[in-house]
Amino acid sequence: MDLRFLEVLLPMMLSGLRLTLVISLAGIALGTVIGSLCGYLLQSGLKVGKAAAEIYIWIIRATPLMVQALYGYYVIPRLLGVELDSTTVGILVIALNSGAFISEIVRGALTSVEAGQKEAGKSLGLTRAQTMLHIVIPPAFRIALPALFNQFIISVKDTALLSVIAVNEVTHQAQAYAALSFQAIPTYTALAVFYLVILSVLIVIQKGVEKKMR
C-alpha cells in the first residue's frame, strides 16, 4: 500500500478530529446536565417529573442515533421555523442521546448511596438540598465517574454517525477523500486505525482516572 495518500488524508482527519472533540465535549457536558436532572427525577417522588424523564429516556433509547440526527436536521427546523447548522444539530443530538443514558447512570449512583447517610444528614439538621449536596453527591459522583467516562468514549464514536447530516468530523472527511481519490480500501483502513489510536488513548486515560479514584 502506497502511504503517500496519508499526506493528504491525515491533515483532513486531524481537522475533523477537532470538530469531533468539540461536539463530543459540548454534547457530553450538556448531556450531563440533562442526565443529572433526569436521574434525580427518576429517583424522586415527583410523579410528573419522573414520568417526563421516563418518556424522554424511552424515546431516545428506542430510536437510533442516526435517525435522531436526520430528524433533528431535516424535520425539527421546519416544524419550529428556525435554521440550525449541522454542527449545532450534532451537539444537540449527542447531548440528548448521552443524557438519556447518563440519567440511568446518575439514578443508579444516587440510589446506591446508603440511606443511613441521608438519615445522618437529617439528624445533623441539614436540609434536603444540603444533604444531597454535601453527603449524597460526593460518593455518588465517585461511583458514577467510570460510567460517565465510558459514555464520553461512546459519544466520541457516535459522532461518526453525524456524517449523515454532513458534519465535517473525522468520518465525513474520510468519506470526502475516498469519493475524490477512489481509494476506499486505504482510506477506510486509515480511518479505522485513526479511531483505534484516539479511543485507545481515551481508554488509557479512563483507566488512570479510575485507578486514582480507587
Side-chain angles (χ1 to χ4, degrees):
M1 183 185 297
D2 188 353
L3 297 180
R4 285 180 296 181
F5 77 99
L6 290 175
E7 295 178 4
V8 177
L9 178 60
L10 190 57
M12 292 178 66
M13 290 197 298
L14 288 174
S15 175
L17 176 62
R18 287 193 290 270
L19 185 57
T20 292
L21 293 178
V22 167
I23 292 174
S24 299
L25 289 170
I28 201 72
L30 185 56
T32 299
V33 175
I34 297 172
S36 297
L37 176 60
C38 291
Y40 173 76
L41 291 173
L42 288 175
Q43 54 86 56
S44 71
L46 303 173
K47 293 183 178 180
V48 175
K50 183 178 180 181
E54 289 176 341
I55 292 172
Y56 154 66
I57 294 169
W58 167 63
I59 292 174
I60 295 299
R61 297 184 69 176
T63 55
L65 187 141
M66 184 179 291
V67 174
Q68 295 165 15
L70 291 170
Y71 198 85
Y73 189 64
Y74 292 107
V75 179
I76 297 298
R78 291 190 178 185
L79 292 177
L80 299 180
V82 298
E83 293 185 6
L84 295 175
D85 61 87
S86 58
T87 300
T88 301
V89 172
I91 292 173
L92 293 175
V93 168
I94 293 296
L96 291 172
N97 189 272
S98 62
F101 293 93
I102 290 174
S103 62
E104 293 293 345
I105 296 172
V106 172
R107 181 195 61 78
L110 291 175
T111 56
S112 66
V113 177
E114 294 182 5
Q117 296 190 41
K118 300 176 184 178
E119 295 297 328
K122 292 181 181 179
S123 66
L124 292 173
L126 299 179
T127 64
R128 182 180 178 85
Q130 289 173 329
T131 300
M132 182 66 67
L133 181 63
H134 298 290
I135 296 179
V136 177
I137 290 180
F141 176 74
R142 287 194 294 272
I143 294 170
L145 187 59
L148 290 174
F149 208 118
N150 190 59
Q151 182 59 47
F152 172 68
I153 293 174
I154 292 173
S155 294
V156 172
K157 292 193 294 183
D158 284 345
T159 57
L161 298 175
L162 299 178
S163 61
V164 72
I165 57 172
V167 176
N168 288 318
E169 43 71 58
V170 178
T171 301
H172 189 264
Q173 294 282 18
Q175 288 175 330
Y177 179 81
L180 292 173
S181 66
F182 301 101
Q183 299 187 67
I185 294 176
T187 299
Y188 292 125
T189 300
L191 177 64
V193 173
F194 190 84
Y195 269 115
L196 182 63
V197 171
I198 297 302
L199 294 173
S200 294
V201 171
L202 293 177
I203 291 171
V204 169
I205 294 173
Q206 178 189 17
K207 297 298 183 182
V209 171
E210 289 180 5
K211 184 177 180 181
K212 186 175 182 180
M213 290 299 292
R214 287 196 297 268

